[in-house]
Amino acid sequence: MLTEIRIDGLGVISTATAQFHEGLTVLTGETGAGKTMVVTSLHLLSGARADAGRVRLGAQRAVVEGRFTVEDVNEAARAEVAEVLESSAARTDDDGSIIAVRTVGTDGRSRAHLGGRGVPASVLAEFTAPLLTVHGQNDQLRLQRPDQQLNALDQFAGDTVGPLLRKYQVYRRSWLAARAELLERTARSRELALEADRLKHSLNEIDAIAPEPGEDVRIVDEVRRLSDLDSLREAAATAHDALAGPSDSPEAGSGALELLGAARARLESADDPALSVLAPRLGEAIAVVVDLTTDLSGYLSDLPSDPGALDSLLIRQAELKSLTRKYAPDIDGVIAWADDARTRLDSLDVSEEALAKLDREVGVAAEKVREAARKLTTARTRSASKLASAVSAELGGLAMGKARLEVDVRPVPAGAQDSAPLTVGGIELHAGSSGVDEVEFRLSAHSGAQSLPLSKSASGGELSRVMLALEVVLASSDHGATMVFDEVDAGVGGRAAVEIGRRLARLARTHQVIVVTHLPQVAAFADTHLVVDKSDDGKGKVNSGVRALTKDERVIELARMLAGLDDTETGRAHAEELLETARAERTPA
């Protein structure tokens, strides 16, 4: 819900603030006072294109600030708003409301802020989309678009169509994915066959060499060792002889083990406790030397004795390098490449059997889409007649008593090179994201008149009333959103104007409704009455402001709207009668 708006430097408005409440709010004022600027400001908060020509003469920029709450909207709308706030890192105010700001400079540059964060104007559009719908004189043209008419029918149908549409969309995604794979395999069968041959050749080459993880690194270390084999053997043998003594030349002297043993025996045989206590420490040293001697013996025995071992390793290293030159920087990468290649090869089966199997899968998926599309069309067709009857009934009270709305649900033929052709009932149709249907609203302006598409049959005023009638009918499927109507009552008066006011008041039971009007019969139904008035500073500069009217002020304003009768007792009496009649109609029986 929109709770407050502040406007600075927009058109004839220097500075204005307006508070909005639940129910029906009307904005009135003399022609040129600036009512349109209020609607323009809401357009800007909705992410509409900025127009530098709207900036007030003498101002550097125009600023529009709106405060919104989400407690009164439905769960789906709250979820959409929460997602936008989270993605843009916007913050709520202390009272839980969200502030949206749009700034337009005289140079045409525009800036947007949401919850204290700078955001693109498109994010404002995403934020306000579930909260605010502006039906300006140009916005009503959207009702002429087939996609908007389809959305209106689906919204009216609600749970009758919603689950069927979602099931259709799930089946369609699966069908399109399988169909795309079949088309790719068929169209690229020669190319894919060549790719499969290349992958097989590469995998055969890798499998023939059979590399092991980390083998290239181990071979480098082993080659380095074998290249220094003589020096390594000499160092290990010398160390071993120094510890254990030379086994082949006893006359060369005793090793460290023999000397340590002799030293321990001398200490153990001494009578002095100070010497004998040192003997265990020599025992520990002997144990360490024995372990070292064993390790050195093992090292010497592990050294290759085959003079051709180095050559074998160099040959293996060359084989591994032939793989790393082609497929990856190291052997682990080669093994990973081979795993990916096997996966890819499994998906490149272009044999007749594989294509036939995939074709059968596509056929099964298409049948599911076809059946879902039939059910969706049937549900829409049934709801279309109900929607047409309901809207036509509403039009009866809006000075269009003989008008009839028709809602035509018809299939969409598949075009040349169609991306999603689906045969339904022997006819090839386009399976779009919303089904195989298109919807057209057709209006018969009076009895006996030919029904024509809205774009050809409805004037601006009639289109406004069709929009209002449709919103009233759809109101039960949505709650809490703010609806703004600009000049919805254009071209009507008398009893029809009263009916428009009555319907707007009914719509305001489930929505916040803001209406710009010039008809007192409509304004009388308001829960809140705002007036946009202008003043002249005496120097030719006009400024407009927005203020809420008291009960007495409403009587004066309604009298003014009654052909300028604000200064007559008759006009005021008529205004009071209008207010009393509207109050009685709004009060539940």
Side-chain angles (χ1 to χ4, degrees), residues 261-282:
R264 182 176 62 175
R266 295 294 299 271
L267 291 178
E268 289 175 344
S269 64
D271 293 333
D272 189 348
L275 288 177
S276 60
V277 76
L278 297 176
R281 294 174 62 186
L282 279 173

PDB file of all heavy atoms in Angstrom, residues 261-282:
ATOM      1  N   GLY A 261      80.095 -50.426  21.565  1.00  0.00           N
ATOM      2  CA  GLY A 261      79.941 -51.598  22.427  1.00  0.00           C
ATOM      3  C   GLY A 261      81.089 -51.724  23.414  1.00  0.00           C
ATOM      4  O   GLY A 261      80.891 -52.054  24.583  1.00  0.00           O
ATOM      5  N   ALA A 262      82.303 -51.480  22.920  1.00  0.00           N
ATOM      6  CA  ALA A 262      83.456 -51.552  23.807  1.00  0.00           C
ATOM      7  C   ALA A 262      83.385 -50.501  24.886  1.00  0.00           C
ATOM      8  O   ALA A 262      83.705 -50.753  26.070  1.00  0.00           O
ATOM      9  CB  ALA A 262      84.748 -51.397  22.984  1.00  0.00           C
ATOM     10  N   ALA A 263      82.944 -49.294  24.516  1.00  0.00           N
ATOM     11  CA  ALA A 263      82.847 -48.225  25.498  1.00  0.00           C
ATOM     12  C   ALA A 263      81.809 -48.566  26.565  1.00  0.00           C
ATOM     13  O   ALA A 263      82.029 -48.325  27.760  1.00  0.00           O
ATOM     14  CB  ALA A 263      82.470 -46.915  24.783  1.00  0.00           C
ATOM     15  N   ARG A 264      80.671 -49.126  26.141  1.00  0.00           N
ATOM     16  CA  ARG A 264      79.648 -49.465  27.131  1.00  0.00           C
ATOM     17  C   ARG A 264      80.162 -50.556  28.065  1.00  0.00           C
ATOM     18  O   ARG A 264      79.915 -50.514  29.281  1.00  0.00           O
ATOM     19  CB  ARG A 264      78.379 -49.938  26.423  1.00  0.00           C
ATOM     20  CG  ARG A 264      77.252 -50.262  27.414  1.00  0.00           C
ATOM     21  CD  ARG A 264      75.970 -50.646  26.718  1.00  0.00           C
ATOM     22  NE  ARG A 264      76.132 -51.850  25.923  1.00  0.00           N
ATOM     23  CZ  ARG A 264      75.137 -52.461  25.282  1.00  0.00           C
ATOM     24  NH1 ARG A 264      73.919 -51.950  25.314  1.00  0.00           N
ATOM     25  NH2 ARG A 264      75.373 -53.549  24.581  1.00  0.00           N
ATOM     26  N   ALA A 265      80.917 -51.572  27.548  1.00  0.00           N
ATOM     27  CA  ALA A 265      81.440 -52.645  28.401  1.00  0.00           C
ATOM     28  C   ALA A 265      82.407 -52.091  29.434  1.00  0.00           C
ATOM     29  O   ALA A 265      82.408 -52.518  30.603  1.00  0.00           O
ATOM     30  CB  ALA A 265      82.141 -53.691  27.527  1.00  0.00           C
ATOM     31  N   ARG A 266      83.246 -51.124  29.048  1.00  0.00           N
ATOM     32  CA  ARG A 266      84.210 -50.545  29.998  1.00  0.00           C
ATOM     33  C   ARG A 266      83.474 -49.793  31.097  1.00  0.00           C
ATOM     34  O   ARG A 266      83.858 -49.870  32.268  1.00  0.00           O
ATOM     35  CB  ARG A 266      85.159 -49.598  29.259  1.00  0.00           C
ATOM     36  CG  ARG A 266      86.060 -50.306  28.227  1.00  0.00           C
ATOM     37  CD  ARG A 266      87.060 -51.262  28.935  1.00  0.00           C
ATOM     38  NE  ARG A 266      87.930 -50.563  29.833  1.00  0.00           N
ATOM     39  CZ  ARG A 266      89.108 -50.032  29.471  1.00  0.00           C
ATOM     40  NH1 ARG A 266      89.530 -50.159  28.228  1.00  0.00           N
ATOM     41  NH2 ARG A 266      89.861 -49.415  30.363  1.00  0.00           N
ATOM     42  N   LEU A 267      82.418 -49.072  30.731  1.00  0.00           N
ATOM     43  CA  LEU A 267      81.695 -48.308  31.760  1.00  0.00           C
ATOM     44  C   LEU A 267      80.946 -49.239  32.699  1.00  0.00           C
ATOM     45  O   LEU A 267      80.868 -48.979  33.913  1.00  0.00           O
ATOM     46  CB  LEU A 267      80.700 -47.354  31.096  1.00  0.00           C
ATOM     47  CG  LEU A 267      81.308 -46.172  30.309  1.00  0.00           C
ATOM     48  CD1 LEU A 267      80.194 -45.351  29.671  1.00  0.00           C
ATOM     49  CD2 LEU A 267      82.160 -45.294  31.219  1.00  0.00           C
ATOM     50  N   GLU A 268      80.384 -50.283  32.158  1.00  0.00           N
ATOM     51  CA  GLU A 268      79.643 -51.199  33.023  1.00  0.00           C
ATOM     52  C   GLU A 268      80.558 -51.944  34.001  1.00  0.00           C
ATOM     53  O   GLU A 268      80.115 -52.353  35.075  1.00  0.00           O
ATOM     54  CB  GLU A 268      78.882 -52.217  32.153  1.00  0.00           C
ATOM     55  CG  GLU A 268      77.711 -51.603  31.416  1.00  0.00           C
ATOM     56  CD  GLU A 268      77.043 -52.590  30.468  1.00  0.00           C
ATOM     57  OE1 GLU A 268      77.662 -53.620  30.155  1.00  0.00           O
ATOM     58  OE2 GLU A 268      75.892 -52.304  30.038  1.00  0.00           O
ATOM     59  N   SER A 269      81.808 -52.107  33.592  1.00  0.00           N
ATOM     60  CA  SER A 269      82.745 -52.848  34.476  1.00  0.00           C
ATOM     61  C   SER A 269      83.413 -51.945  35.494  1.00  0.00           C
ATOM     62  O   SER A 269      84.130 -52.435  36.379  1.00  0.00           O
ATOM     63  CB  SER A 269      83.817 -53.543  33.614  1.00  0.00           C
ATOM     64  OG  SER A 269      84.600 -52.571  32.924  1.00  0.00           O
ATOM     65  N   ALA A 270      83.222 -50.625  35.407  1.00  0.00           N
ATOM     66  CA  ALA A 270      83.869 -49.698  36.348  1.00  0.00           C
ATOM     67  C   ALA A 270      83.168 -49.764  37.692  1.00  0.00           C
ATOM     68  O   ALA A 270      81.953 -49.995  37.781  1.00  0.00           O
ATOM     69  CB  ALA A 270      83.826 -48.270  35.788  1.00  0.00           C
ATOM     70  N   ASP A 271      84.001 -49.589  38.804  1.00  0.00           N
ATOM     71  CA  ASP A 271      83.436 -49.629  40.156  1.00  0.00           C
ATOM     72  C   ASP A 271      82.791 -48.299  40.552  1.00  0.00           C
ATOM     73  O   ASP A 271      82.004 -48.255  41.491  1.00  0.00           O
ATOM     74  CB  ASP A 271      84.546 -49.985  41.171  1.00  0.00           C
ATOM     75  CG  ASP A 271      85.050 -51.411  40.967  1.00  0.00           C
ATOM     76  OD1 ASP A 271      84.239 -52.225  40.450  1.00  0.00           O
ATOM     77  OD2 ASP A 271      86.206 -51.678  41.299  1.00  0.00           O
ATOM     78  N   ASP A 272      83.088 -47.260  39.797  1.00  0.00           N
ATOM     79  CA  ASP A 272      82.574 -45.931  40.170  1.00  0.00           C
ATOM     80  C   ASP A 272      81.143 -45.769  39.643  1.00  0.00           C
ATOM     81  O   ASP A 272      80.909 -45.848  38.427  1.00  0.00           O
ATOM     82  CB  ASP A 272      83.476 -44.849  39.567  1.00  0.00           C
ATOM     83  CG  ASP A 272      83.119 -43.465  40.111  1.00  0.00           C
ATOM     84  OD1 ASP A 272      82.054 -43.326  40.763  1.00  0.00           O
ATOM     85  OD2 ASP A 272      83.879 -42.508  39.844  1.00  0.00           O
ATOM     86  N   PRO A 273      80.217 -45.558  40.555  1.00  0.00           N
ATOM     87  CA  PRO A 273      78.807 -45.390  40.104  1.00  0.00           C
ATOM     88  C   PRO A 273      78.633 -44.243  39.122  1.00  0.00           C
ATOM     89  O   PRO A 273      77.745 -44.272  38.285  1.00  0.00           O
ATOM     90  CB  PRO A 273      78.044 -45.124  41.398  1.00  0.00           C
ATOM     91  CG  PRO A 273      78.908 -45.713  42.487  1.00  0.00           C
ATOM     92  CD  PRO A 273      80.340 -45.525  42.037  1.00  0.00           C
ATOM     93  N   ALA A 274      79.454 -43.210  39.229  1.00  0.00           N
ATOM     94  CA  ALA A 274      79.327 -42.053  38.335  1.00  0.00           C
ATOM     95  C   ALA A 274      79.613 -42.441  36.896  1.00  0.00           C
ATOM     96  O   ALA A 274      79.086 -41.822  35.965  1.00  0.00           O
ATOM     97  CB  ALA A 274      80.291 -40.939  38.769  1.00  0.00           C
ATOM     98  N   LEU A 275      80.436 -43.476  36.680  1.00  0.00           N
ATOM     99  CA  LEU A 275      80.696 -43.951  35.322  1.00  0.00           C
ATOM    100  C   LEU A 275      79.657 -44.979  34.880  1.00  0.00           C
ATOM    101  O   LEU A 275      79.165 -44.960  33.739  1.00  0.00           O
ATOM    102  CB  LEU A 275      82.100 -44.578  35.248  1.00  0.00           C
ATOM    103  CG  LEU A 275      83.286 -43.599  35.316  1.00  0.00           C
ATOM    104  CD1 LEU A 275      84.606 -44.368  35.306  1.00  0.00           C
ATOM    105  CD2 LEU A 275      83.242 -42.629  34.141  1.00  0.00           C
ATOM    106  N   SER A 276      79.334 -45.915  35.781  1.00  0.00           N
ATOM    107  CA  SER A 276      78.399 -46.977  35.379  1.00  0.00           C
ATOM    108  C   SER A 276      77.000 -46.442  35.033  1.00  0.00           C
ATOM    109  O   SER A 276      76.271 -47.023  34.245  1.00  0.00           O
ATOM    110  CB  SER A 276      78.298 -48.030  36.490  1.00  0.00           C
ATOM    111  OG  SER A 276      77.830 -47.432  37.703  1.00  0.00           O
ATOM    112  N   VAL A 277      76.630 -45.276  35.612  1.00  0.00           N
ATOM    113  CA  VAL A 277      75.314 -44.722  35.316  1.00  0.00           C
ATOM    114  C   VAL A 277      75.214 -44.205  33.886  1.00  0.00           C
ATOM    115  O   VAL A 277      74.129 -44.008  33.350  1.00  0.00           O
ATOM    116  CB  VAL A 277      74.987 -43.590  36.319  1.00  0.00           C
ATOM    117  CG1 VAL A 277      75.746 -42.304  35.985  1.00  0.00           C
ATOM    118  CG2 VAL A 277      73.484 -43.327  36.359  1.00  0.00           C
ATOM    119  N   LEU A 278      76.393 -44.008  33.257  1.00  0.00           N
ATOM    120  CA  LEU A 278      76.387 -43.510  31.874  1.00  0.00           C
ATOM    121  C   LEU A 278      76.206 -44.630  30.853  1.00  0.00           C
ATOM    122  O   LEU A 278      75.957 -44.383  29.669  1.00  0.00           O
ATOM    123  CB  LEU A 278      77.702 -42.775  31.569  1.00  0.00           C
ATOM    124  CG  LEU A 278      77.979 -41.506  32.412  1.00  0.00           C
ATOM    125  CD1 LEU A 278      79.348 -40.950  32.071  1.00  0.00           C
ATOM    126  CD2 LEU A 278      76.899 -40.455  32.145  1.00  0.00           C
ATOM    127  N   ALA A 279      76.364 -45.864  31.290  1.00  0.00           N
ATOM    128  CA  ALA A 279      76.288 -46.986  30.357  1.00  0.00           C
ATOM    129  C   ALA A 279      74.938 -47.084  29.628  1.00  0.00           C
ATOM    130  O   ALA A 279      74.907 -47.347  28.416  1.00  0.00           O
ATOM    131  CB  ALA A 279      76.590 -48.293  31.112  1.00  0.00           C
ATOM    132  N   PRO A 280      73.755 -46.884  30.297  1.00  0.00           N
ATOM    133  CA  PRO A 280      72.474 -46.959  29.563  1.00  0.00           C
ATOM    134  C   PRO A 280      72.386 -45.944  28.418  1.00  0.00           C
ATOM    135  O   PRO A 280      71.754 -46.204  27.397  1.00  0.00           O
ATOM    136  CB  PRO A 280      71.432 -46.684  30.641  1.00  0.00           C
ATOM    137  CG  PRO A 280      72.095 -47.107  31.918  1.00  0.00           C
ATOM    138  CD  PRO A 280      73.543 -46.736  31.762  1.00  0.00           C
ATOM    139  N   ARG A 281      72.987 -44.808  28.582  1.00  0.00           N
ATOM    140  CA  ARG A 281      72.918 -43.791  27.513  1.00  0.00           C
ATOM    141  C   ARG A 281      73.688 -44.274  26.291  1.00  0.00           C
ATOM    142  O   ARG A 281      73.275 -44.013  25.151  1.00  0.00           O
ATOM    143  CB  ARG A 281      73.488 -42.471  28.016  1.00  0.00           C
ATOM    144  CG  ARG A 281      72.622 -41.865  29.142  1.00  0.00           C
ATOM    145  CD  ARG A 281      73.245 -40.642  29.748  1.00  0.00           C
ATOM    146  NE  ARG A 281      73.399 -39.575  28.769  1.00  0.00           N
ATOM    147  CZ  ARG A 281      74.036 -38.411  29.017  1.00  0.00           C
ATOM    148  NH1 ARG A 281      74.528 -38.198  30.241  1.00  0.00           N
ATOM    149  NH2 ARG A 281      74.151 -37.501  28.085  1.00  0.00           N
ATOM    150  N   LEU A 282      74.793 -45.008  26.527  1.00  0.00           N
ATOM    151  CA  LEU A 282      75.505 -45.585  25.391  1.00  0.00           C
ATOM    152  C   LEU A 282      74.659 -46.672  24.732  1.00  0.00           C
ATOM    153  O   LEU A 282      74.696 -46.862  23.507  1.00  0.00           O
ATOM    154  CB  LEU A 282      76.843 -46.171  25.856  1.00  0.00           C
ATOM    155  CG  LEU A 282      77.992 -45.155  26.041  1.00  0.00           C
ATOM    156  CD1 LEU A 282      79.195 -45.822  26.672  1.00  0.00           C
ATOM    157  CD2 LEU A 282      78.366 -44.557  24.691  1.00  0.00           C
TER     158      LEU A 282
END
